[in-house]
Amino acid sequence: MEDFVYQAGTRVLFGKGQIEHLPEVIAKFGKKVLLCYGGGSIKRNGIYDKVYALLKDCEIYELAGIAPNPRIDSDREGIALCRKHNIDVVLAVGGGSVIDCAKVVAAGVYYDGDPWEMVSQGKQTEKALPLVTILTLAATGSEYDDGAVITNPETNEKIGYGNELTMPKVSILDPAYTYTVPAKQTAAGSIDIMSHLLEQYFGPDMTYLADQMLAGAIKTVIHYAPVAVKEPDNAQARGELMWTSSLACNGILSQGCGYGGWPAHAIEHELSAFYDVTHGVGLAIITPRLMRHMLNDDTLSRFAQYGRDVWGIVGKSDKETAEQAIDETEKFFTSLGVPMTLSALNIGEEHFDEMAEHAGRNGRLLHAYVPLSKEEVKAILHDCL
Ligand code: NZQ
Ligand code: ZN
């Protein structure tokens, strides 16, 4: 088992009505608040009005219109607002895109240069503004990790940025706030959660504990995602998905294990960068093809374990179990109603060369659990057509 240092510095307020604590949560940091949100879902479902009512004693400035696959321009705008109004605390209300954008604002205020330079070169800052989140979509885990993924449409790049100072100080997780998430987005979010778990499951030097926890979390998604898609206000399903999303991406489930390179994410971020694809939809298309590519003599027993522990396949050879497990994964994503080919999104092979080049940058995929060359990434993308 590998050595590790682990700290999850976020205070989580989970459950119905936890938003009532917002005034005391914010008061700890000050009165001047930058409220970050997306295209308006929080106005339609009442959270926006609730925030204003609760923060009536605060001075609120707004960074609105943060797009899915958030753009660096929103960060530039947010940083300017923080500097102009001397903001004390950043409040992100939304899904992963809003929270990610808010993280880069929180750190970028203290970065002496353009935030794209900070993101693309992974520059750290000495300070960051405190970040509080109110999660409205179970998917990325951004509410409980220190990562952010930002897009630069001018360069067709989508890049992950990590800065432990941007770990949310407090995250308010009320599953009822996800009842209004449309079925397609619920499906995409659930696939994202499952992908975070799979990216850790297929890694080197796994521990017995991690195997049990990851398999359990994957089974939770398989059990509850179809329920939430069909019954958007099912409290149990929304709650279980929300907490699983938070646990899936901050490393807690695979401490002590090796790093597998997160290849599905590396490839998917290229689809989002070039075509603005919904993250979870891109992952659904890539994952089964990637898995078939990863299946070889060295990984066979791991895929067979996945088939037995997650899909309950018994009485078959390792090869049959592994292949069936990948088929079951694909069938599960299909059953959630997301498009399962690039052609269905009108995406052709025009940019595969650049996408494969970008996906492999930093050499991370060459050292993945199953190493992937640029040509192999292109082959996987071809299989997705
Ligand atoms: O913009 P609004 O109007 O709020 O609508 C959003 C958006 O259109 C809508 N939505 C959110 N909550 C809703 C709702 N609609 C109705 N009711 C609600 N309660 O859903 C749409 C998608 O929102 P978005 O925030 O983009 O989705 P998600 O949470 O899946 O975030 C995706 C982004 O996070 C990145 C992805 O790459 C992508 O850019 N990721 C971030 C990670 C991290 N920070 O750790 C890890 C992930 O792997 C991922 O890469
Ligand atoms: Zn993801």
Side-chain angles (χ1 to χ4, degrees):
M1 187 163 172
E2 295 189 357
D3 297 346
F4 62 87
V5 174
Y6 180 78
Q7 181 178 0
T10 303
R11 184 176 171 83
V12 172
L13 307 183
F14 184 96
K16 201 168 172 51
Q18 291 286 13
I19 198 170
E20 300 298 335
H21 295 289
L22 189 62
E24 77 231 27
V25 165
I26 294 292
K28 267 196 193 158
F29 305 113
K31 274 186 176 295
K32 291 188 170 188
V33 180
L34 182 74
L35 171 62
C36 303
Y37 61 98
S41 68
I42 67 162
K43 290 193 170 166
R44 292 189 289 280
N45 61 20
I47 307 176
Y48 178 88
D49 288 342
K50 184 75 184 172
V51 166
Y52 267 87
L54 288 168
L55 298 184
K56 57 184 184 318
D57 297 329
C58 292
E59 225 176 283
I60 301 179
Y61 300 89
E62 292 194 2
L63 175 61
I66 297 168
N69 297 328
R71 318 287 199 268
I72 191 68
D73 272 350
S74 285
D75 288 299
R76 294 187 178 115
E77 188 186 338
I79 291 164
L81 284 168
C82 289
R83 289 179 179 153
K84 181 170 174 200
H85 301 294
N86 222 357
I87 292 293
D88 297 315
V89 50
V90 179
L91 173 60
V93 187
S97 295
V98 170
I99 300 173
D100 284 5
C101 178
K103 285 177 177 171
V104 169
V105 169
V109 171
Y110 295 100
Y111 184 72
D112 188 17
D114 186 69
W116 184 248
E117 181 184 275
M118 181 183 87
V119 168
S120 58
Q121 296 178 23
K123 300 267 177 144
Q124 300 299 294
T125 52
E126 279 183 14
K127 288 206 294 189
L129 284 171
L131 172 65
V132 174
T133 83
I134 301 175
L135 184 66
T136 67
L137 199 174
T140 65
S142 189
E143 68 280 5
Y144 202 34
D145 71 22
D146 63 7
V149 189
I150 303 294
T151 296
N152 184 342
E154 284 167 23
T155 58
N156 282 336
E157 286 177 293
K158 181 173 183 185
I159 295 185
Y161 174 69
N163 179 337
E164 63 183 29
L165 299 174
T166 66
M167 187 93 193
K169 299 285 181 222
V170 180
S171 281
I172 295 176
L173 272 51
D174 183 341
Y177 285 164
T178 64
Y179 290 177
T180 53
V181 177
K184 180 198 147 196
Q185 208 67 53
T186 301
S190 301
I191 292 163
D192 189 24
I193 302 171
M194 185 149 152
S195 175
H196 297 159
L197 299 162
L198 290 170
E199 301 267 42
Q200 294 165 86
Y201 191 91
F202 290 97
D205 305 322
M206 296 302 293
T207 65
Y208 183 84
L209 174 64
D211 279 355
Q212 308 310 309
M213 291 198 295
L214 290 166
I218 294 169
K219 283 159 76 173
T220 305
V221 178
I222 294 168
H223 187 77
Y224 279 114
V227 179
V229 166
K230 282 199 197 76
E231 302 167 37
D233 57 356
N234 186 306
Q236 190 70 23
R238 291 296 196 182
E240 299 230 19
L241 288 172
M242 190 173 236
W243 187 226
T244 308
S245 88
S246 301
L247 294 178
C249 205
N250 75 353
I252 193 167
L253 301 180
S254 60
Q255 290 302 325
C257 304
Y259 177 64
W262 288 55
H265 275 69
I267 302 172
E268 195 297 311
H269 285 166
E270 298 310 315
L271 284 178
S272 297
F274 278 81
Y275 296 103
D276 205 13
V277 168
T278 299
H279 178 56
V281 172
L283 291 169
I285 295 170
I286 291 163
T287 300
R289 282 83 182 200
L290 171 67
M291 283 179 152
R292 288 190 185 103
H293 193 92
M294 287 168 67
L295 183 58
N296 59 35
D297 288 349
D298 294 335
T299 60
L300 181 63
S301 64
R302 188 69 188 156
F303 275 97
Q305 185 182 338
Y306 169 61
R308 286 189 295 270
D309 288 357
V310 171
W311 294 103
I313 302 166
V314 287
K316 297 192 172 175
S317 69
D318 271 10
K319 187 166 184 296
E320 286 169 320
T321 307
E323 285 170 353
Q324 189 182 333
I326 298 173
D327 292 345
E328 296 290 348
T329 309
E330 186 166 23
K331 272 193 257 167
F332 172 66
F333 294 159
T334 308
S335 75
L336 294 178
V338 295
M340 288 300 292
T341 61
L342 292 181
S343 321
L345 303 178
N346 295 319
I347 294 175
E349 60 188 296
E350 308 79 72
H351 294 295
F352 282 1
D353 202 57
E354 279 168 279
M355 289 160 75
E357 176 83 38
H358 284 194
R361 105 187 90 205
N362 306 330
R364 150 180 158 190
L365 292 184
L366 286 174
H367 303 285
Y369 177 55
V370 173
L372 294 177
S373 67
K374 179 180 163 186
E375 289 312 312
E376 285 170 303
V377 172
K378 273 171 77 176
I380 292 164
L381 285 167
H382 270 281
D383 289 346
C384 294
L385 283 169

